[in-house]
Amino acid sequence: MKMQKALALCLALCLLISFPACQTEKDKKYDALVSANQAEASALPSELEVDYDAPNYIGPPKPDEDDLTTPVPGDNLSGTLAIRSYNMYGYTPAVTWLAKEFMELHPNVAISCEFGDRFGQEETKQERQDTRQDYYTRLRVEIAAGEADCLLYGVTQDLDYTSLSKNGALADFQEFWQNDPDIREEDYFMPVLDAFLVEGRRPVMPYSFNLTGVYCNRALLGEINVDPDSVTLTNAVQILDWYGQLRPQHPDLNLLFACSPKASLFPLERPAYIDLENRRAAFDSPEFVSFLAQSRDAAHEDPDLDPEKEINYGFGSTLEAALSYRATGEISPHAEVMAQAGYPADKNILLKARPALCGRIEPLAPYELAESRQRSFQYVAGPYFLTSSDGRLGITCVDETFVMPQSLKNKELAWEFIKYCLSRREDITFDHFGYTGQHYYTHSGIPVTRSNYRKIMEDAPEDLSRLGAAGLEHLHFDPVDGADMEAYMDELLTNDPVDLGKYNIDLQDYLDEFYINELTTPEQAAEKIQGRAYIWLNE
């Protein structure tokens, strides 16, 4: 115990080195933002003010008292639990509604939710990035110092849970998982859950996940004799090879649509050069140097797009709409509806963005998986599921994961709540609360619980039919066989899935130096990345 405490204090001191002795203006701004948003978000949601009788209302009916969840008979669960997260993404996250359900089942339990920030429209991307970085730096210090008495939600992509787990700062879910009689591993997509293991420990428990994917220009693939419909998996190295073949005939062709950052390819390839088990890295290899050179040399210009509102918003559906517009002169209904509602970005992108081989790298939602099994787009191919060049399937968890710091006092209550979030649901929606701003119990993730995944897939056509009012007719498809989709997921998960957040070495300064400012050569950047990776693996 003393050794663990000493390690925690050492880690906290190392992290604190990055903080100046006095508080800067940025620190003051950060503290003010967090304090304001904590006050706003600490309470769980109540019924939103919605006019259910409005003629243009689309959504679930107004709830009544009969919709309340009945408490568990003979319930003896009690206690308090604080849940902390960073983003609210402009909506109330699913965890708040799950907590409300849980408290209705267990009236003697009190759960509070605290969110780090809710960004305003006036802030720049850089300001948002700075605030986010400050939040996670402070959170890591708090965890390492043993002061985080809370359950963490949706933090795995930025927290560096690998280092914190190895240093003993995070609790291991393995004991709960193995000893709880309610847990049956056959009920879950275990390759996904195991993708978060760190040296045999289970520091992260997701209840949803996303496969990472990309859509590509169908006609351009045809030019280099690639059958667009024969590809299921691809990787960053193969995409760069396709791009290299096309570049002589299309010198102004962008690699990624709407100028998505070239560095977005790096997280996909990173697992190929890190051996966590043996604590080795190979970023100084000729293969990685070649990857850096090819990815930086790709064209990356979209001067007609707004850098704050339109750059990096080139999703596959937007690329399809842009290619359709160039072929037919018709603007997609969705882009028109959004523009009329005051959100012109989609329309501007399809009108102004330069041609590209691929859409942005994106987490794939369940409906995209169902749609890919039924039909192809006319102008784009995919989604192609992305692996590292050594064949490991990249998965991400946008926000629906749990992490327990060792300093969380009531771990048993936290586990009971997590287990509830993982449980089989008769109703996969929050419709019994009325309009919540969120339909499913996951925001856009794939449930790790098999039965819930089957239900979401089978419900997808009916759910998407309601979106026709937003000009999304292209998303409509036939009834979905949940068992078939489950088998398809099992097949995809044979490709050694890995959580991309597990390899989250802090390299942003080196990546910016190389990709944005072009101050280093590929060889110099590779050497710097290798050096920091060595420290990260052995700290």
Side-chain angles (χ1 to χ4, degrees):
M1 181 65 71
K2 290 181 179 178
M3 180 63 72
Q4 287 185 347
K5 183 68 173 178
L7 286 170
L9 289 172
C10 287
L11 181 58
L13 287 171
C14 290
L15 290 168
L16 282 167
I17 290 173
S18 62
F19 287 96
C22 58
Q23 192 178 43
T24 66
E25 286 303 313
K26 188 171 74 170
D27 292 332
K28 293 176 182 177
K29 179 181 178 182
Y30 168 86
D31 289 339
L33 278 169
V34 171
S35 297
N37 286 307
Q38 286 175 354
E40 177 184 356
S42 59
L44 286 171
S46 57
E47 186 179 332
L48 303 178
E49 293 185 10
V50 177
D51 184 359
Y52 291 93
D53 298 321
N56 61 344
Y57 170 73
I58 300 175
K62 182 177 181 179
D64 56 38
E65 294 183 1
D66 293 336
D67 292 324
L68 292 176
T69 306
T70 304
V72 174
D75 174 51
N76 59 3
L77 193 63
S78 63
T80 61
L81 178 66
I83 298 175
R84 285 175 59 184
S85 185
Y86 179 65
N87 273 339
M88 290 193 74
Y89 301 107
Y91 59 85
T92 304
V95 68
T96 57
W97 301 103
L98 289 164
K100 190 171 184 179
E101 288 179 341
F102 190 75
M103 288 190 292
E104 289 176 357
L105 287 168
H106 306 284
N108 294 319
V109 170
I111 299 177
S112 63
C113 293
E114 176 186 298
F115 300 94
D117 200 47
R118 193 187 298 191
F119 293 121
Q121 293 293 320
E122 73 282 358
E123 291 181 299
T124 67
K125 288 181 179 179
Q126 187 60 52
E127 288 174 329
R128 294 196 295 269
Q129 181 178 323
D130 290 345
T131 306
R132 185 184 189 93
Q133 184 177 355
D134 288 346
Y135 177 88
Y136 279 102
T137 299
R138 292 163 186 257
L139 179 59
R140 286 191 290 270
V141 170
E142 190 175 339
I143 293 170
E147 298 175 354
D149 183 16
C150 56
L151 178 65
L152 302 176
Y153 173 79
V155 298
T156 54
Q157 297 303 307
D158 294 272
L159 186 64
D160 187 11
Y161 68 84
T162 301
S163 294
L164 289 169
S165 177
K166 289 193 297 184
N167 289 319
L170 300 181
D172 183 3
F173 285 111
Q174 198 77 299
E175 183 177 352
F176 291 103
W177 184 261
Q178 293 178 340
N179 297 322
D180 194 314
D182 295 331
I183 296 295
R184 301 190 319 155
E185 291 195 346
E186 59 266 31
D187 293 337
Y188 307 96
F189 290 116
M190 287 306 300
V192 172
L193 296 177
D194 290 347
F196 293 83
L197 290 172
V198 175
E199 296 183 344
R201 293 186 290 271
R202 198 178 291 279
V204 177
M205 188 60 65
Y207 78 86
S208 81
F209 68 102
N210 295 92
L211 300 176
T212 308
V214 68
Y215 293 84
C216 295
N217 185 313
R218 179 178 290 275
L220 290 176
L221 291 180
E223 288 186 25
I224 53 175
N225 298 316
V226 174
D227 178 2
D229 297 317
S230 68
V231 179
T232 301
L233 305 173
T234 190
N235 59 68
V237 172
Q238 186 172 58
I239 289 171
L240 288 169
D241 177 67
W242 291 340
Y243 180 77
Q245 294 180 57
L246 288 161
R247 191 76 181 278
Q249 289 75 39
H250 304 275
D252 295 327
L253 180 70
N254 279 349
L255 175 64
L256 299 172
F257 187 58
C259 221
S260 293
K262 289 184 280 189
S264 62
L265 296 176
F266 174 73
L268 304 170
E269 190 60 3
R270 183 170 49 191
Y273 297 95
I274 297 178
D275 180 352
L276 286 176
E277 184 177 353
N278 296 301
R279 303 197 175 195
R280 290 199 296 260
F283 290 109
D284 53 356
S285 66
E287 293 80 7
F288 184 68
V289 172
S290 176
F291 166 78
L292 287 177
Q294 291 181 68
S295 56
R296 186 170 75 177
D297 289 345
H300 188 255
E301 297 292 336
D302 257 313
D304 296 327
L305 297 185
D306 185 322
E308 292 296 326
K309 299 178 181 178
E310 294 164 5
I311 291 292
N312 195 27
Y313 289 96
F315 295 95
S317 57
T318 314
L319 177 58
E320 168 74 10
L323 293 171
S324 174
Y325 170 73
R326 292 192 181 105
T328 67
E330 296 180 3
I331 297 175
S332 77
H334 173 61
E336 289 285 19
V337 169
M338 295 300 289
Q340 292 168 11
Y343 301 96
D346 277 15
K347 184 175 180 178
N348 289 340
I349 290 170
L350 71 88
L351 290 175
K352 300 177 182 179
R354 291 187 175 181
L357 171 60
C358 302
R360 64 170 287 175
I361 308 303
E362 56 185 291
L364 298 174
Y367 74 80
E368 292 175 284
L369 302 181
E371 186 178 41
S372 70
R373 296 285 281 172
Q374 293 191 7
R375 70 179 182 90
S376 300
F377 281 111
Q378 184 174 358
Y379 299 100
V380 299
Y384 298 152
F385 305 105
L386 290 163
T387 71
S388 54
S389 59
D390 61 350
R392 287 188 278 179
L393 182 69
I395 65 171
T396 61
C397 290
V398 177
D399 59 359
E400 292 166 345
T401 58
F402 293 104
V403 172
M404 282 199 298
Q406 283 287 12
S407 47
L408 174 61
K409 295 183 176 66
N410 199 340
K411 295 183 178 66
E412 290 73 19
L413 177 58
W415 171 249
E416 289 299 322
F417 174 65
I418 292 168
K419 189 170 67 172
Y420 174 74
C421 296
L422 288 166
S423 65
R424 178 189 182 100
R425 294 180 66 91
E426 294 303 319
D427 183 359
I428 54 172
T429 76
F430 290 134
D431 287 357
H432 52 287
F433 287 126
Y435 180 80
T436 64
Q438 179 165 330
H439 180 55
Y440 289 131
Y441 90 109
T442 70
H443 174 59
S444 60
I446 301 165
V448 299
T449 306
R450 291 174 176 272
S451 59
N452 296 341
Y453 171 69
R454 291 194 299 269
K455 286 183 179 181
I456 280 184
M457 300 311 293
E458 291 166 354
D459 185 66
E462 180 180 348
D463 179 49
L464 289 172
S465 68
R466 293 194 289 269
L467 298 178
L472 294 175
E473 292 84 355
H474 65 283
L475 293 179
H476 295 181
F477 45 92
D478 298 331
V480 176
D481 184 336
D484 173 72
M485 292 304 303
E486 182 182 7
Y488 182 49
M489 180 59 67
D490 283 329
E491 179 183 346
L492 290 171
L493 293 176
T494 61
N495 293 285
D496 192 14
V498 58
D499 171 46
L500 299 178
K502 185 191 287 189
Y503 300 83
N504 196 18
I505 312 170
D506 184 8
L507 297 169
Q508 195 59 52
D509 53 343
Y510 292 161
L511 297 176
D512 289 347
E513 185 180 61
F514 176 72
Y515 283 110
I516 298 176
N517 302 314
E518 299 191 5
L519 297 175
T520 53
T521 66
E523 291 79 9
Q524 290 168 337
E527 183 179 358
K528 288 187 172 187
I529 292 170
Q530 175 71 8
R532 189 167 291 176
Y534 177 84
I535 295 172
W536 181 79
L537 286 165
N538 293 281
E539 63 185 0

